[in-house]
């Protein structure tokens, strides 16, 4: 084998045919598996136009595949990173017999494509490695699926786990943060010959990106609790399953369709549904799209194919709409087929609005009176409720109906940060510095002028509970100091901006490790035991040793952060409640927290106590030990979650003799 350097890259010249029995069957090649187990592998190029890899026994391990036979093939590694086979006599240097860019493995380089060549049938897709040191194909693949209207899908085996949503001319509908800028650009190429994607960015994935989490006609909102809700005018198909936080059965219309007199209701701000059962036309108007959908009783919804310049094209869905999520920004409109009764109901609401508008002048005096009364009540509540002021003090509270707040009769000092300081520290709250998001708002990594790294939790303008959580978190942990609690460094209150500043923990949340196949390998059993032990110490401090008895009420893997040495720190006290030393629990009408971690008496009756945190801790321990999520646990023999599985099997299961029994949970045990 002779290697020459050329301006196009390294060249491998042809050798003689390989004589190895029936190893090479045709110019396309069919080869047996014979892995290279030592350093004696040989790479050759042969005259039909093939590259072959041989092991030390001259058995073929791997080969390129070409339907064209040439007499003078050469193999080249181009400057782009593309390894190609071409005919040296061909005047067109880009007429490749085979190229590595058609098989991108786990990395997409500039010039590669994802998608299917509709002429040759070749599909280009990404494949994960089996492990960090084993490049064999793993369980995950990432495809541009051309079924219906093209969209990007991630699969684990044959099952879809994530869907980026269809291309709308500007972005993928399920990834509103991916927009073209001065550094990167992306788009879709789609014509009669090829369909492919060009992507130079990655999307942030959260629980609502789990494929079909809420079932048909269910919508997922990461800021709501629970995540899944039925679309307006829909209801759960199996209410009992939804009570158990199993939303996979989805929703159905309250009033069924009959295909006569049906119409459409507009739903806004959503990630568009799965488009594998869809049809599209690039030239139709939205009105023409509506007519086409209305004529087909199987058409369940429609929208514009391209949202640029006021919208154009037609995209319609056949049969059920699945994998919808609510987006706080950049969501799209979709028109969903509804019964005539639902359409009339929506129209009657419009008429009611008109009547109210006409009657509005007659109600001015009453409204002014109401505003006056409201102002008086607001001032009275302000005197009674603790308010964070620009002095950084948390005032007293005299609400007799809330025993947990009666202890706050003294002022708490808390350092204040200037808005400009935090803006500079987070690069103007750039997307690149965003490290998390929750019901309160978004969390950013920041670096102060002195070099100190901090985590800045910024109250979202759309957050409904954020202000309550902001005040509650300061009240609960402003003076708590423990090695297993995240330290609150200060806050910022300036205009409409409200932010909390914490110590920065580089390893982020426990959830990122125990549920990830690769990262979980970093947590050996001593580390897992240390994490469990640290959480226990933090809880004991909250429940017994701190000046206030604190019940966290939202203990879960994502609320346990890890420092540089993988020591755990409990975070996010927005849902917490504080008590006097002789109080151990209470009852509430407002149940908050995360389903799957809530104790039964709290989820059903609103009764919470230190035992509620202990229950959540038990679920967390099972997740740390097993590496499985309680609400995502799957077993071939039953539909129980992880907690139900553990509590209903006998020791015989280890011998393959699982026996399920009924167990009643005693809140006092």
């Amino acid at each position: 084998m002779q290697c020459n350097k050329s301006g196009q890259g390294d060249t491998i010249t042809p050798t003689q045919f390989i004589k190895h029995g029936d190893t090479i069957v045709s110019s396309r090649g069919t080869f047996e598996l014979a892995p290279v187990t030592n350093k004696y592998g040989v790479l050759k190029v042969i005259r039909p136009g093939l590259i072959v890899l041989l092991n030390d026994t001259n058995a073929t391990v791997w080969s390129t595949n070409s339907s064209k036979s040439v007499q003078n093939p050469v193999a080249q590694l181009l400057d782009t990173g593309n390894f190609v086979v071409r005919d040296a006599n061909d005047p067109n240097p880009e007429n490749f017999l085979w190229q590595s860019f058609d098989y991108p493995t786990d990395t997409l380089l500039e010039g590669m494509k994802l998608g299917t060549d509709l002429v040759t049938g070749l599909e280009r897709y990404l494949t994960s490695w089996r492990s960090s040191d084993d490049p064999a194909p793993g369980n995950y693949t990432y495809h541009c699926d051309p079924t219906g209207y093209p969209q990007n899908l991630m699969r684990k085996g044959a099952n879809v786990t994530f869907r980026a949503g269809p291309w709308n001319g500007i972005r993928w509908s399920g990834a509103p943060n991916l927009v073209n800028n001065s550094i990167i650009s992306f788009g879709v190429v789609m014509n009669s010959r090829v369909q492919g994607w060009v992507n130079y960015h990655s999307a942030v994935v959260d629980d609502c990106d789990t494929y079909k989490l809420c079932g048909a006609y269910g919508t997922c909102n990461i800021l709501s609790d629970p995540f899944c809700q039925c679309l307006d005018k829909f209801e759960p198909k199996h209410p009992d399953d939804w009570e158990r936080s199993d939303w996979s059965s989805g929703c159905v219309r309250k009033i069924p369709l009959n295909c006569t007199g049906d119409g459409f209701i507009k739903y806004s701000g959503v990630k568009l549904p799965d488009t594998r059962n869809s049809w599209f036309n690039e030239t139709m108007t939205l009105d023409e799209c509506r007519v086409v959908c209305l004529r087909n009783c199987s058409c369940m919804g429609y929208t514009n194919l391209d949202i640029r310049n006021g919208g154009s094209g037609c995209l319609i869905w056949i049969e059920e709409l699945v994998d919808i999520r609510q987006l706080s920004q950049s969501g799209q409109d979709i028109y969903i087929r509804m019964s005539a009764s639902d359409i009339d109901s929506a129209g009657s609401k419009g008429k009611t609005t008109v009547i109210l508008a006409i009657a509005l002048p007659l109600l001015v005096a009453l409204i002014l009176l109401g505003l006056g009364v409201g102002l008086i009540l607001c001032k009275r509540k302000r005197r009674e409720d603790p308010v964070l002021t620009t002095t950084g003090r948390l005032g007293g509270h005299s609400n007799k109906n809330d025993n947990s707040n009666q202890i706050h009769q003294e002022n708490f000092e808390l350092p204040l940060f200037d808005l400009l300081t935090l803006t500079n520290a987070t690069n103007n709250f750039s997307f690149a510095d965003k490290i998390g998001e929750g019901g309160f708002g978004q969390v950013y990594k920041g670096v102060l002028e002195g070099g100190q790294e901090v985590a800045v939790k910024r109250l979202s303008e759309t957050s409904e509970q954020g202000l309550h959580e902001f005040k509650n978190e300061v009240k609960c942990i402003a003076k708590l100091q423990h090695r297993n609690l995240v330290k609150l460094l200060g806050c910022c209150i300036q205009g409409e901006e409200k932010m909390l500043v914490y110590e920065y923990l580089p390893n982020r949340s426990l959830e990122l490790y125990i549920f990830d196949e690769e990262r979980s390998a970093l947590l050996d059993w001593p580390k897992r035991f240390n994490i469990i032990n640290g959480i226990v110490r933090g809880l004991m401090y909250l429940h017994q040793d701190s000046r206030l008895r604190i019940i966290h009420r939202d203990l879960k893997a994502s609320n346990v952060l890890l420092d540089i040495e993988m020591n755990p720190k409990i975070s996010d006290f927005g849902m917490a409640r504080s008590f006097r030393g002789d109080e151990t629990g209470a009852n509430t009408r407002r149940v908050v927290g995360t389903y799957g971690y809530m104790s039964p008496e709290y989820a059903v009756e609103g009764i919470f106590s230190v035992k509620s945190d202990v229950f959540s801790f038990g679920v967390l321990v099972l997740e740390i030990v097993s590496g499985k999520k309680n609400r995502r646990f799957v077993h071939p023999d039953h539909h129980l979650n992880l907690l139900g599985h553990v509590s209903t099997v006998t020791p015989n299961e280890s011998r393959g003799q699982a026996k399920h029994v009924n167990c009643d949970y005693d809140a006092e045990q």
Side-chain angles (χ1 to χ4, degrees), residues 70-110:
V70 297
Q71 292 300 314
N72 192 17
V74 293
Q76 288 184 305
L77 178 61
L78 304 182
D79 294 336
T80 60
N82 194 7
F83 188 42
V84 304
V85 180
R86 66 180 184 85
D87 186 355
N89 299 326
D90 193 331
N92 182 4
E94 296 184 357
N95 189 12
F96 304 139
L97 302 175
W98 177 91
Q99 60 176 333
S100 63
F101 271 20
D102 285 338
Y103 309 93
T105 62
D106 71 329
T107 303
L108 202 63
L109 299 177
E110 181 180 1

Side-chain angles (χ1 to χ4, degrees), residues 278-298:
S278 68
W279 176 91
F280 64 94
N281 182 289
E282 296 177 330
T283 61
M284 281 185 176
T285 66
L286 192 63
D287 289 338
E288 291 172 335
C289 189
R290 180 183 185 279
V291 172
V292 171
C293 188
L294 195 59
R295 290 175 179 172
N296 185 347
C297 294
S298 297

Side-chain angles (χ1 to χ4, degrees), residues 208-221:
C208 281
D209 283 313
T210 303
Y211 181 66
K212 291 177 64 174
L213 177 66
C214 303
Y217 301 109
T219 178
C220 188
N221 187 341

Side-chain angles (χ1 to χ4, degrees), residues 260-329:
T260 301
D262 291 347
F264 299 93
I265 291 181
K266 178 180 177 181
Y267 294 82
S268 300
V270 302
K271 169 187 175 182
L272 295 180
D274 192 341
T275 57
R276 283 182 288 175
N277 290 323
S278 68
W279 176 91
F280 64 94
N281 182 289
E282 296 177 330
T283 61
M284 281 185 176
T285 66
L286 192 63
D287 289 338
E288 291 172 335
C289 189
R290 180 183 185 279
V291 172
V292 171
C293 188
L294 195 59
R295 290 175 179 172
N296 185 347
C297 294
S298 297
C299 177
M300 295 294 106
Y302 71 93
T303 191
N304 274 134
L305 189 66
D306 192 322
I307 65 172
R308 292 174 295 180
N309 302 319
S312 63
C314 173
L315 176 61
I316 68 174
W317 282 265
I318 309 301
E319 300 178 352
E320 291 183 332
L321 308 183
V322 300
D323 198 37
I324 303 171
R325 72 169 293 176
Q326 199 72 31
L327 297 173
S328 58
Q329 58 178 348

Side-chain angles (χ1 to χ4, degrees), residues 195-415:
Q195 299 187 44
W197 301 85
V198 181
N199 184 6
Y200 299 98
H201 210 291
S202 60
V204 177
V205 178
D206 54 37
D207 285 342
C208 281
D209 283 313
T210 303
Y211 181 66
K212 291 177 64 174
L213 177 66
C214 303
Y217 301 109
T219 178
C220 188
N221 187 341
I222 196 64
L223 299 180
S224 68
D225 187 10
F227 293 150
C228 290
Q229 306 286 340
C230 289
L231 291 171
D232 184 35
K233 301 190 182 300
F234 289 79
E235 60 187 2
K237 185 175 182 179
H238 299 303
D240 292 342
D241 291 346
W242 279 60
E243 289 292 331
R244 295 191 295 268
S245 299
D246 178 3
W247 310 298
S248 58
S249 59
C251 308
V252 294
R253 292 172 177 81
K254 295 179 181 179
I255 303 177
L257 301 174
N258 59 17
C259 200
T260 301
D262 291 347
F264 299 93
I265 291 181
K266 178 180 177 181
Y267 294 82
S268 300
V270 302
K271 169 187 175 182
L272 295 180
D274 192 341
T275 57
R276 283 182 288 175
N277 290 323
S278 68
W279 176 91
F280 64 94
N281 182 289
E282 296 177 330
T283 61
M284 281 185 176
T285 66
L286 192 63
D287 289 338
E288 291 172 335
C289 189
R290 180 183 185 279
V291 172
V292 171
C293 188
L294 195 59
R295 290 175 179 172
N296 185 347
C297 294
S298 297
C299 177
M300 295 294 106
Y302 71 93
T303 191
N304 274 134
L305 189 66
D306 192 322
I307 65 172
R308 292 174 295 180
N309 302 319
S312 63
C314 173
L315 176 61
I316 68 174
W317 282 265
I318 309 301
E319 300 178 352
E320 291 183 332
L321 308 183
V322 300
D323 198 37
I324 303 171
R325 72 169 293 176
Q326 199 72 31
L327 297 173
S328 58
Q329 58 178 348
S330 303
Q332 289 182 235
D333 297 336
I334 183 173
Y335 299 83
I336 299 180
R337 193 185 198 104
M338 305 299 292
S339 68
S341 299
D342 281 327
I343 301 299
D344 292 341
S345 174
S348 65
K349 290 183 179 180
K351 294 178 181 179
T352 302
T353 303
V354 173
I355 293 173
L356 289 175
I358 295 174
L360 186 60
L362 301 178
L363 300 176
V364 171
L366 182 60
I367 293 175
L368 291 175
L369 178 61
L371 289 175
V373 173
L375 182 60
I376 294 173
L377 294 177
C378 182
K379 290 182 178 179
R380 180 178 301 173
K381 183 177 181 180
R382 185 176 300 172
R383 290 193 298 268
E384 296 175 347
D385 200 24
V387 177
L388 281 170
T389 69
T390 54
T391 63
R393 296 178 180 272
L394 185 65
H397 196 300
S398 60
N399 187 345
K400 297 180 180 179
N401 295 325
D402 190 350
N403 294 329
S404 67
N405 290 315
Q406 290 179 0
I407 59 175
H408 293 284
Q409 299 298 330
E410 58 180 317
N411 290 331
F412 292 93
E413 296 290 345
L414 189 66

